[in-house]
Amino acid sequence: LQKLIHLLQATDDPLIQEQALITLSNSAAFSVNQDIIRSLDGLSVIGGMLSDCVPKVKEKALNALNNLSMNIKNQEKIQVYITQVCRIVESAPLNSDVQLAGLRLLTNMSVTNDYHQKMINSIPCFLHLLSEGTERTQIQVFQVLVNLSANPAITRHLLRAQV
């Protein structure tokens, strides 16, 4: 895991980055690896890949963070990327793999009320995706919105959102 994280930092080759992110994502299926990746500062390395202009690299970084977000301690570190992930979802091509990967991560990050405030500004986007997206996109958006709607502090923002 340490070598994969170093490899991500050392290379500019999108194919290598993509494969390293896939491997880290698969490794994150095991809770012990989630802790190791966090302890090696892998979350910030992977989070740094969200700025990559190559869509496949961005998608794989979102997928890796999504798998790593199944851990509460990791969520505390990943939450710093929520605003950026919301922007990615808003700017990605409609129904794209990048958009879906971002929505999956937001779904996991919205399971608890802890980070809902960071998603408020994206509610109009979510509602737009609900009306314009394919069924796959709509399902992901519904999951985020259901999680947000469970928080009474968000109700006002949901009801006032301009669509």
Side-chain angles (χ1 to χ4, degrees), residues 17-18 21-22 25 45-52 55-68 101 105:
Q17 291 171 334
E18 190 179 337
L21 287 165
I22 289 169
S25 182
V45 173
I46 295 167
M49 306 304 289
L50 295 177
S51 300
D52 201 287
K56 281 290 182 191
V57 171
K58 193 176 294 193
E59 174 199 349
K60 302 308 182 208
L62 288 163
N63 287 339
L65 289 174
N66 181 48
N67 288 350
L68 288 160
L105 176 55

Side-chain angles (χ1 to χ4, degrees), residues 143-155:
Q143 290 176 339
V144 174
L145 290 172
V146 165
N147 289 345
L148 293 176
S149 70
N151 182 349
I154 302 298
T155 303

